mmCIF file with all atom_site columns, all heavy atoms in Angstrom:
data_model
loop_
_atom_site.group_PDB
_atom_site.id
_atom_site.type_symbol
_atom_site.label_atom_id
_atom_site.label_alt_id
_atom_site.label_comp_id
_atom_site.label_asym_id
_atom_site.label_entity_id
_atom_site.label_seq_id
_atom_site.pdbx_PDB_ins_code
_atom_site.Cartn_x
_atom_site.Cartn_y
_atom_site.Cartn_z
_atom_site.occupancy
_atom_site.B_iso_or_equiv
_atom_site.pdbx_formal_charge
_atom_site.auth_seq_id
_atom_site.auth_comp_id
_atom_site.auth_asym_id
_atom_site.auth_atom_id
_atom_site.pdbx_PDB_model_num
ATOM 1  N N   . SER A 1 358 ? 9.659  -56.151 39.429 1.00 53.00 ? 358 SER A N   1
ATOM 2  C CA  . SER A 1 358 ? 8.421  -56.508 40.133 1.00 53.00 ? 358 SER A CA  1
ATOM 3  C C   . SER A 1 358 ? 8.438  -57.962 40.556 1.00 53.00 ? 358 SER A C   1
ATOM 4  O O   . SER A 1 358 ? 7.996  -58.329 41.652 1.00 53.00 ? 358 SER A O   1
ATOM 5  C CB  . SER A 1 358 ? 7.203  -56.240 39.227 1.00 53.00 ? 358 SER A CB  1
ATOM 6  O OG  . SER A 1 358 ? 7.132  -54.875 38.896 1.00 53.00 ? 358 SER A OG  1
ATOM 7  N N   . PHE A 1 359 ? 8.967  -58.852 39.681 1.00 50.00 ? 359 PHE A N   1
ATOM 8  C CA  . PHE A 1 359 ? 9.042  -60.278 40.003 1.00 50.00 ? 359 PHE A CA  1
ATOM 9  C C   . PHE A 1 359 ? 9.969  -60.507 41.187 1.00 50.00 ? 359 PHE A C   1
ATOM 10 O O   . PHE A 1 359 ? 9.677  -61.305 42.092 1.00 50.00 ? 359 PHE A O   1
ATOM 11 C CB  . PHE A 1 359 ? 9.533  -61.045 38.777 1.00 50.00 ? 359 PHE A CB  1
ATOM 12 C CG  . PHE A 1 359 ? 9.716  -62.515 39.023 1.00 50.00 ? 359 PHE A CG  1
ATOM 13 C CD1 . PHE A 1 359 ? 8.609  -63.378 39.108 1.00 50.00 ? 359 PHE A CD1 1
ATOM 14 C CD2 . PHE A 1 359 ? 10.987 -63.065 39.218 1.00 50.00 ? 359 PHE A CD2 1
ATOM 15 C CE1 . PHE A 1 359 ? 8.779  -64.722 39.361 1.00 50.00 ? 359 PHE A CE1 1
ATOM 16 C CE2 . PHE A 1 359 ? 11.148 -64.400 39.459 1.00 50.00 ? 359 PHE A CE2 1
ATOM 17 C CZ  . PHE A 1 359 ? 10.040 -65.254 39.528 1.00 50.00 ? 359 PHE A CZ  1
ATOM 18 N N   . ILE A 1 360 ? 11.131 -59.811 41.230 1.00 50.00 ? 360 ILE A N   1
ATOM 19 C CA  . ILE A 1 360 ? 12.078 -59.979 42.345 1.00 50.00 ? 360 ILE A CA  1
ATOM 20 C C   . ILE A 1 360 ? 11.439 -59.557 43.643 1.00 50.00 ? 360 ILE A C   1
ATOM 21 O O   . ILE A 1 360 ? 11.542 -60.216 44.664 1.00 50.00 ? 360 ILE A O   1
ATOM 22 C CB  . ILE A 1 360 ? 13.352 -59.154 42.064 1.00 50.00 ? 360 ILE A CB  1
ATOM 23 C CG1 . ILE A 1 360 ? 14.105 -59.753 40.877 1.00 50.00 ? 360 ILE A CG1 1
ATOM 24 C CG2 . ILE A 1 360 ? 14.227 -59.090 43.291 1.00 50.00 ? 360 ILE A CG2 1
ATOM 25 C CD1 . ILE A 1 360 ? 15.273 -58.914 40.410 1.00 50.00 ? 360 ILE A CD1 1
ATOM 26 N N   . VAL A 1 361 ? 10.723 -58.401 43.645 1.00 45.00 ? 361 VAL A N   1
ATOM 27 C CA  . VAL A 1 361 ? 10.059 -57.937 44.849 1.00 45.00 ? 361 VAL A CA  1
ATOM 28 C C   . VAL A 1 361 ? 9.027  -58.943 45.325 1.00 45.00 ? 361 VAL A C   1
ATOM 29 O O   . VAL A 1 361 ? 8.880  -59.251 46.504 1.00 45.00 ? 361 VAL A O   1
ATOM 30 C CB  . VAL A 1 361 ? 9.415  -56.564 44.601 1.00 45.00 ? 361 VAL A CB  1
ATOM 31 C CG1 . VAL A 1 361 ? 8.529  -56.164 45.784 1.00 45.00 ? 361 VAL A CG1 1
ATOM 32 C CG2 . VAL A 1 361 ? 10.485 -55.512 44.350 1.00 45.00 ? 361 VAL A CG2 1
ATOM 33 N N   . TYR A 1 362 ? 8.270  -59.507 44.355 1.00 48.00 ? 362 TYR A N   1
ATOM 34 C CA  . TYR A 1 362 ? 7.230  -60.489 44.694 1.00 48.00 ? 362 TYR A CA  1
ATOM 35 C C   . TYR A 1 362 ? 7.848  -61.717 45.365 1.00 48.00 ? 362 TYR A C   1
ATOM 36 O O   . TYR A 1 362 ? 7.361  -62.218 46.361 1.00 48.00 ? 362 TYR A O   1
ATOM 37 C CB  . TYR A 1 362 ? 6.487  -60.881 43.428 1.00 48.00 ? 362 TYR A CB  1
ATOM 38 C CG  . TYR A 1 362 ? 5.525  -62.027 43.622 1.00 48.00 ? 362 TYR A CG  1
ATOM 39 C CD1 . TYR A 1 362 ? 4.269  -61.833 44.238 1.00 48.00 ? 362 TYR A CD1 1
ATOM 40 C CD2 . TYR A 1 362 ? 5.880  -63.319 43.210 1.00 48.00 ? 362 TYR A CD2 1
ATOM 41 C CE1 . TYR A 1 362 ? 3.395  -62.895 44.412 1.00 48.00 ? 362 TYR A CE1 1
ATOM 42 C CE2 . TYR A 1 362 ? 5.016  -64.382 43.397 1.00 48.00 ? 362 TYR A CE2 1
ATOM 43 C CZ  . TYR A 1 362 ? 3.768  -64.166 43.995 1.00 48.00 ? 362 TYR A CZ  1
ATOM 44 O OH  . TYR A 1 362 ? 2.916  -65.202 44.193 1.00 48.00 ? 362 TYR A OH  1
ATOM 45 N N   . LYS A 1 363 ? 8.958  -62.230 44.793 1.00 51.00 ? 363 LYS A N   1
ATOM 46 C CA  . LYS A 1 363 ? 9.606  -63.414 45.337 1.00 51.00 ? 363 LYS A CA  1
ATOM 47 C C   . LYS A 1 363 ? 10.122 -63.185 46.735 1.00 51.00 ? 363 LYS A C   1
ATOM 48 O O   . LYS A 1 363 ? 10.004 -64.045 47.616 1.00 51.00 ? 363 LYS A O   1
ATOM 49 C CB  . LYS A 1 363 ? 10.758 -63.841 44.414 1.00 51.00 ? 363 LYS A CB  1
ATOM 50 C CG  . LYS A 1 363 ? 10.312 -64.324 43.031 1.00 51.00 ? 363 LYS A CG  1
ATOM 51 C CD  . LYS A 1 363 ? 9.515  -65.614 43.138 1.00 51.00 ? 363 LYS A CD  1
ATOM 52 C CE  . LYS A 1 363 ? 10.426 -66.783 43.482 1.00 51.00 ? 363 LYS A CE  1
ATOM 53 N NZ  . LYS A 1 363 ? 9.669  -68.065 43.524 1.00 51.00 ? 363 LYS A NZ  1
ATOM 54 N N   . ARG A 1 364 ? 10.696 -61.967 46.962 1.00 51.00 ? 364 ARG A N   1
ATOM 55 C CA  . ARG A 1 364 ? 11.223 -61.673 48.295 1.00 51.00 ? 364 ARG A CA  1
ATOM 56 C C   . ARG A 1 364 ? 10.118 -61.634 49.342 1.00 51.00 ? 364 ARG A C   1
ATOM 57 O O   . ARG A 1 364 ? 10.313 -62.043 50.492 1.00 51.00 ? 364 ARG A O   1
ATOM 58 C CB  . ARG A 1 364 ? 11.973 -60.341 48.270 1.00 51.00 ? 364 ARG A CB  1
ATOM 59 C CG  . ARG A 1 364 ? 13.330 -60.438 47.586 1.00 51.00 ? 364 ARG A CG  1
ATOM 60 C CD  . ARG A 1 364 ? 14.067 -59.116 47.656 1.00 51.00 ? 364 ARG A CD  1
ATOM 61 N NE  . ARG A 1 364 ? 15.417 -59.247 47.080 1.00 51.00 ? 364 ARG A NE  1
ATOM 62 C CZ  . ARG A 1 364 ? 16.266 -58.235 47.000 1.00 51.00 ? 364 ARG A CZ  1
ATOM 63 N NH1 . ARG A 1 364 ? 15.922 -57.033 47.438 1.00 51.00 ? 364 ARG A NH1 1
ATOM 64 N NH2 . ARG A 1 364 ? 17.456 -58.434 46.470 1.00 51.00 ? 364 ARG A NH2 1
ATOM 65 N N   . LYS A 1 365 ? 8.966  -61.115 48.952 1.00 49.00 ? 365 LYS A N   1
ATOM 66 C CA  . LYS A 1 365 ? 7.869  -61.059 49.897 1.00 49.00 ? 365 LYS A CA  1
ATOM 67 C C   . LYS A 1 365 ? 7.332  -62.433 50.248 1.00 49.00 ? 365 LYS A C   1
ATOM 68 O O   . LYS A 1 365 ? 6.719  -62.623 51.310 1.00 49.00 ? 365 LYS A O   1
ATOM 69 C CB  . LYS A 1 365 ? 6.735  -60.174 49.303 1.00 49.00 ? 365 LYS A CB  1
ATOM 70 C CG  . LYS A 1 365 ? 7.019  -58.701 49.316 1.00 49.00 ? 365 LYS A CG  1
ATOM 71 C CD  . LYS A 1 365 ? 5.816  -57.928 48.777 1.00 49.00 ? 365 LYS A CD  1
ATOM 72 C CE  . LYS A 1 365 ? 6.076  -56.413 48.851 1.00 49.00 ? 365 LYS A CE  1
ATOM 73 N NZ  . LYS A 1 365 ? 4.926  -55.639 48.339 1.00 49.00 ? 365 LYS A NZ  1
ATOM 74 N N   . ASN A 1 366 ? 7.533  -63.379 49.352 1.00 52.00 ? 366 ASN A N   1
ATOM 75 C CA  . ASN A 1 366 ? 6.963  -64.702 49.584 1.00 52.00 ? 366 ASN A CA  1
ATOM 76 C C   . ASN A 1 366 ? 8.001  -65.740 50.034 1.00 52.00 ? 366 ASN A C   1
ATOM 77 O O   . ASN A 1 366 ? 7.736  -66.942 50.002 1.00 52.00 ? 366 ASN A O   1
ATOM 78 C CB  . ASN A 1 366 ? 6.267  -65.195 48.320 1.00 52.00 ? 366 ASN A CB  1
ATOM 79 C CG  . ASN A 1 366 ? 5.016  -64.382 48.019 1.00 52.00 ? 366 ASN A CG  1
ATOM 80 O OD1 . ASN A 1 366 ? 3.945  -64.661 48.563 1.00 52.00 ? 366 ASN A OD1 1
ATOM 81 N ND2 . ASN A 1 366 ? 5.152  -63.371 47.155 1.00 52.00 ? 366 ASN A ND2 1
ATOM 82 N N   . VAL A 1 367 ? 9.188  -65.283 50.371 1.00 48.00 ? 367 VAL A N   1
ATOM 83 C CA  . VAL A 1 367 ? 10.220 -66.189 50.864 1.00 48.00 ? 367 VAL A CA  1
ATOM 84 C C   . VAL A 1 367 ? 10.014 -66.450 52.372 1.00 48.00 ? 367 VAL A C   1
ATOM 85 O O   . VAL A 1 367 ? 9.782  -65.497 53.105 1.00 48.00 ? 367 VAL A O   1
ATOM 86 C CB  . VAL A 1 367 ? 11.623 -65.606 50.611 1.00 48.00 ? 367 VAL A CB  1
ATOM 87 C CG1 . VAL A 1 367 ? 12.677 -66.440 51.317 1.00 48.00 ? 367 VAL A CG1 1
ATOM 88 C CG2 . VAL A 1 367 ? 11.907 -65.592 49.136 1.00 48.00 ? 367 VAL A CG2 1
#
Side-chain angles (χ1 to χ4, degrees):
S358 299
F359 177 75
I360 292 172
V361 171
Y362 172 77
K363 294 294 288 183
R364 286 183 176 179
K365 286 183 177 180
N366 291 276
V367 171

